[in-house]
Amino acid sequence: MVDTVAHAMDTPDLEQPYAALGVKDEEYARIREILGRRPTSAELAMYSVMWSEHCSYKSSKIHLRRFGELSQDTPRGPLLAGIGENAGVVDIGHGYAVTFKAESHNHPSFVEPYQGAATGVGGIVRDILAMGARPIGVMDSLRFGPLTADDTRRVLPGVVAGVGGYGNCLGLPNIGGEVQFHQSYLSNPLVNALCVGVLRHEDLHRAFASGVGNKVILFGAATGGDGIGGASILASETFEEDGPAKRPSVQVGDPFMEKLLIECTLELFRAGVIQGIQDFGAAGISCATSELASAGDGGMSVELDLVPLRDPHLAPEEILMSESQERMMAVVQPSDVERFMAICRKWDVAATVIGEVTDGDRLVIHWHGQCIVDVDPRSVAHDGPTYDRPMQEPAWLYGVGADRAEALPRDNTPDGVVAALKAVLAHGNIADKSWITDQYDRYVRGNSILAQPEDAGMLRIDEESGLGIALALDANSRFTYLNPYLGAQLSLMEAYRNVAVTGAEPVAVTDCLNFGSPEDPEVMWSFVEAIKGLVEACKELGIPVTGGNVSLYNQTGTTPILPTPTIGVMGVIDDVARRIRSGFAHPGDGIWLLGATHEELSGSIWADAVHGGHLGGVPPRVDLAAEKGLAHVLRLAAREGLVTSAHDLSEGGLAVALVESALQGGHGFRVGLAGQDPTVALFSESASRAVVSLPESSVERMVSVAEEHGVPLVRIGEVLAEPQAQVAGLFDLPLAELRAVWAAPIPQAMKH
């Protein structure tokens, strides 16, 4: 071996290809300062992946600290684990806790759609597993270029097949999410995956290595050449519009191995033989060893020769950087090693002791008898560079804000309203997503209470009591483009409201913040504004951010994606039997509108669909008190069985909510607009609203509950037995005609 630590000390001037690994000049100088010498090639490999944007959050962490301003108490009690852990953990009562988190796998999913998406699901599942929880469900938020674009027809089917294939093989229901389209995502799709798991309080595990002499065990799949320089480096790069295609080694997933790994790990937890555990994600062994050692009370010594390899020709640097999937690392007492190995053999999971916890504070790695790494693990895992990037409010924002959609022409004739309704229903963001969701198993495990196309997914946690959770994953990138502060809040409010309309109490938040290059001051400004908006909104709503993910450099050439803060909200319902569905259930029920409608068309689907992609003006106003009031009303309505359906109003406004409720329930509707401007009444995207249906016997109590919480409530119509969509004075259309318009776009686009 040439590149040993001793040789590095003797050859300080040896040139190293650090720039090719994404390391900046000043970062390389800092590494040399930390080590007091030049790094070995193995150390350089470790620092390059661990100091990448994807792993170190070097451009975002000073702003993410704002989430620390939030109380760590949920409406159900204090967090059991929060930001800084693999995933946040929330007490939901009856001795149960839930852990959930969202992460991105964007750039790999453009390069290799199937494997990029599949391994995104696999990675977030292992994050949940590492907390001691059994994964019980997944969700995803996907963004693609225009539905008719050639590359969308390449990427979308592969991503959907990857999400479905991996999750279905694991036996995890995919209970919700969203799919949207915009030109800015062409060549830069977003694949944000969420996983949720359940555990008893006493089963909580954390990632740290302690106890001198304890063994470090790598278990799961063998290490291969896939994923070398994958997500960790690629996430720090920008795709060039016309440049050569980037060909990193995207990870290759094996969901059947992951299923074995899940069951094996859960049995290891039950056996009490794990002292600390870390999943393998971005940066592979570099991450697992440095993070475990850094979070512990000692050092770590590793023999890299002992790592099981699929490719015997891998160099040590490649072994350290490989992001091969389905791997975990555990810290185990010597007396428990044989039992640990026996359980792994039972599940046909390979396990190898590759090192031990040592006295001191060094991470030392040997290869072929020579020391190739000797570092302070904290310098690798936690003390990476921190950048306070320049920020600048975009000069163009004022002009965009002045271009209000409220000033656009409106055709309020019956023909004009019908044409607008059909254009909105056929918009990619509104159109039927069943071509996608039918590829996902939504009901495996038998505890799915609600799933697509409901507003939120719901899972039963405890069969005896009926305790359950609801989850929604939402982002409104159009609003965030117009005003990142308000747009992030409106994204949060939509997810919060989607949980609330099921009858659950929203209690905690995770996020996945997708933005362009942090080296662009305008992008950095929008990123920080979005964080400010989320922090202030969460304070008002009284719910903490439990953790999340940041994905930067999402752009093609110099054109960033629309800023997309994807927000996941988790809620708790005491009895899933009292959940509310979104489809109209009983003919003769009254249809009531909760909340106030304003003339708010800017950033709306109506403006985009009817006016050729218009995107300008100011987003809808934010009223967090109104949002809380609405959630209280819906929760009481569910608890007391007052309503037979509830659907939030968001993209597409009242018109889309009515049509979706009718299509899902199989019953028609008749409503009147009481002299309102039809375009505003039907297509405004004012927040803090829901449409509910209820029998006459519930009206008096429902009115009282709404008044008590200051939520406007007005009867606008009734549910019909006939499958008709009727708006007084404007149209009377068969639901089948609207279904055909709504159902066609995605299947038609995928045929070509």
Side-chain angles (χ1 to χ4, degrees):
M1 286 290 296
V2 201
D3 261 340
T4 62
V5 170
H7 183 67
M9 296 179 70
D10 294 337
T11 56
D13 299 325
L14 182 70
E15 288 192 16
Q16 296 183 283
Y18 61 87
L21 294 174
V23 178
K24 309 293 185 187
D25 290 346
E26 63 274 16
E27 293 171 352
Y28 181 70
R30 174 66 181 142
I31 293 168
R32 294 185 64 120
E33 180 184 343
I34 289 170
L35 295 175
R37 54 175 169 80
R38 73 165 178 85
T40 67
S41 60
E43 290 167 341
L44 181 59
M46 291 187 72
Y47 279 107
S48 73
V49 289
M50 291 301 292
W51 283 18
S52 69
E53 194 72 65
H54 184 81
C55 294
S56 74
Y57 289 24
K58 56 190 175 186
S59 297
S60 59
K61 56 189 172 186
I62 63 170
H63 305 292
L64 296 175
R65 290 173 190 152
R66 291 178 182 270
F67 289 124
E69 300 171 14
L70 299 172
S71 167
Q72 294 302 286
D73 289 344
T74 78
R76 296 272 173 151
L79 287 178
L80 302 181
I83 292 174
E85 300 287 349
N86 279 315
V89 182
V90 181
D91 178 7
I92 63 168
H94 297 269
Y96 287 103
V98 163
T99 176
F100 74 122
K101 187 183 180 185
E103 285 205 342
S104 62
H105 227 221
N106 301 338
H107 289 168
S109 298
F110 171 72
V111 175
E112 216 312 318
Y114 184 95
Q115 293 296 351
T119 53
V121 173
I124 192 62
V125 167
R126 290 192 302 279
D127 272 345
I128 296 306
L129 178 64
M131 298 305 297
R134 172 176 287 281
I136 58 171
V138 294
M139 305 180 82
D140 55 87
S141 174
L142 309 177
R143 293 289 192 280
F144 302 102
L147 189 50
T148 55
D150 288 342
D151 203 58
T152 299
R153 287 191 282 266
R154 175 187 73 89
V155 175
L156 187 152
V159 165
V160 171
V163 169
Y166 205 99
N168 293 353
C169 290
L170 288 184
L172 294 177
N174 189 316
I175 57 171
E178 56 169 8
V179 182
Q180 297 199 357
F181 303 89
H182 188 269
Q183 178 68 33
S184 71
Y185 303 112
L186 191 63
S187 300
N188 201 130
L190 302 186
V191 176
N192 292 177
L194 178 147
C195 184
V196 59
V198 64
L199 65 158
R200 303 293 293 180
H201 288 197
E202 60 270 20
D203 294 333
L204 177 62
H205 283 74
R206 288 188 164 91
F208 63 89
S210 65
V212 173
N214 283 347
K215 302 303 179 182
V216 175
I217 302 178
L218 190 161
F219 65 110
T223 298
D226 56 315
I228 294 174
S232 56
I233 290 179
L234 187 55
S236 297
E237 297 293 340
T238 302
F239 289 115
E240 293 301 327
E241 201 158 14
D242 301 313
K246 288 183 179 292
R247 294 299 304 171
S249 180
V250 174
Q251 306 96 314
V252 177
D254 180 352
F256 299 105
M257 181 68 247
E258 180 119 336
K259 177 60 176 170
L260 293 174
L261 186 63
I262 290 171
E263 299 304 328
C264 177
T265 304
L266 291 172
E267 184 165 339
L268 291 168
F269 286 143
R270 289 193 296 272
V273 296
I274 292 179
Q275 301 299 307
I277 190 165
Q278 175 70 47
D279 73 299
F280 279 60
I285 291 175
S286 295
C287 173
T289 55
S290 63
E291 289 198 348
L292 276 170
S294 177
D297 54 13
M300 184 182 290
S301 175
V302 171
E303 296 293 331
L304 207 59
D305 308 69
L306 300 177
V307 173
L309 301 178
R310 294 203 305 271
D311 179 355
H313 303 295
L314 291 179
E317 297 83 2
E318 294 174 311
I319 299 171
L320 289 169
M321 296 173 75
S322 170
E323 295 177 6
S324 293
Q325 298 292 287
E326 293 88 37
R327 298 179 297 166
M328 305 282 280
M329 183 172 283
V331 177
V332 179
Q333 291 182 354
S335 58
D336 291 327
V337 168
E338 182 45 45
R339 192 170 181 203
F340 185 104
M341 296 300 188
I343 292 171
C344 288
R345 285 193 296 271
K346 170 186 171 181
W347 289 101
D348 199 20
V349 171
T352 307
V353 176
I354 65 168
E356 67 179 22
V357 179
T358 58
D359 195 10
D361 59 0
R362 306 296 289 180
L363 170 60
V364 178
I365 298 177
H366 290 86
W367 170 257
H368 291 349
Q370 302 209 35
C371 180
I372 61 169
V373 171
D374 185 352
V375 298
D376 177 347
R378 186 164 187 85
S379 73
V380 177
H382 296 291
D383 294 341
T386 300
Y387 294 134
D388 189 357
R389 303 277 193 187
M391 293 178 285
Q392 180 179 327
E393 183 176 357
W396 49 260
L397 197 56
Y398 177 80
V400 169
D403 185 17
R404 302 172 63 249
E406 291 77 13
L408 295 171
R410 309 169 192 173
D411 185 348
N412 284 330
T413 66
D415 287 347
V417 171
V418 170
L421 174 61
K422 290 183 176 180
V424 166
L425 290 174
H427 190 284
N429 293 4
I430 300 297
D432 178 26
K433 305 302 190 300
S434 61
W435 186 93
I436 293 169
T437 58
D438 284 353
Q439 298 185 49
Y440 305 151
D441 191 333
R442 287 167 271 176
Y443 304 108
V444 64
R445 296 183 56 82
N447 285 315
S448 300
I449 306 301
L450 297 175
Q452 303 101 339
E454 301 286 345
D455 288 329
M458 183 176 288
L459 294 167
R460 180 193 297 110
I461 298 299
D462 181 40
E463 196 164 325
E464 185 174 335
S465 67
L467 178 69
I469 58 169
L471 287 155
L473 193 61
D474 289 288
N476 194 309
S477 48
R478 294 169 59 79
F479 289 162
T480 310
Y481 170 80
L482 298 177
N483 185 310
Y485 181 94
L486 295 177
Q489 292 189 335
L490 288 161
S491 298
L492 167 64
M493 288 165 62
E494 183 178 352
Y496 182 93
R497 190 163 60 251
N498 277 330
V499 165
V501 295
T502 69
E505 178 183 22
V507 299
V509 171
T510 187
D511 59 52
C512 197
L513 307 177
N514 306 273
F515 287 77
S517 170
E519 297 169 50
D520 181 340
E522 293 181 352
V523 168
M524 206 63 214
W525 177 83
S526 67
F527 174 76
V528 174
E529 285 295 300
I531 289 176
K532 289 178 182 176
L534 289 174
V535 169
E536 292 305 314
C538 286
K539 281 181 182 177
E540 176 67 25
L541 295 173
I543 53 176
V545 173
T546 63
N549 174 248
V550 175
S551 176
L552 301 176
Y553 292 98
N554 289 291
Q555 60 189 59
T556 303
T558 58
T559 305
I561 61 164
L562 294 183
T564 309
T566 304
I567 311 300
V569 172
M570 192 270 286
V572 181
I573 186 167
D574 293 324
D575 184 358
V576 295
R578 296 196 172 276
R579 54 84 183 98
I580 311 172
R581 292 190 178 276
S582 59
F584 292 141
H586 302 298
D589 281 356
I591 299 175
W592 296 70
L593 178 63
L594 279 161
T597 302
H598 306 285
E599 186 178 2
E600 294 176 316
L601 298 167
S602 290
S604 68
I605 298 296
W606 173 84
D608 192 32
V610 176
H611 290 280
H614 184 275
L615 182 54
V618 178
R621 70 195 67 182
V622 167
D623 187 339
L624 295 165
E627 204 70 52
K628 288 174 69 176
L630 178 66
H632 282 302
V633 169
L634 290 164
R635 191 160 66 252
L636 285 170
R639 189 177 300 158
E640 298 183 26
L642 300 178
V643 302
T644 52
S645 74
H647 193 329
D648 90 303
L649 270 63
S650 52
E651 290 186 306
L654 176 64
V656 167
L658 289 170
V659 172
E660 289 181 345
S661 294
L663 293 175
Q664 289 170 32
H667 300 293
F669 62 87
R670 179 191 298 119
V671 299
L673 303 183
Q676 301 173 75
D677 179 299
T679 298
V680 172
L682 291 172
F683 302 114
S684 168
E685 295 186 7
S686 295
S688 311
R689 296 184 300 159
V691 63
V692 297
S693 62
L694 58 147
E696 190 63 31
S697 58
S698 295
V699 169
E700 184 177 351
R701 175 59 179 153
M702 189 68 184
V703 169
S704 173
V705 169
E707 286 180 351
E708 180 184 344
H709 290 90
V711 178
L713 175 65
V714 59
R715 191 183 194 279
I716 60 172
E718 65 180 351
V719 178
L720 301 177
E722 304 79 23
Q724 292 291 118
Q726 300 178 7
V727 175
L730 289 173
F731 59 78
D732 182 354
L733 299 170
L735 277 181
E737 182 178 334
L738 297 180
R739 183 185 291 277
V741 171
W742 173 73
I746 293 178
Q748 282 183 353
M750 293 302 107
K751 278 180 184 175
H752 295 288

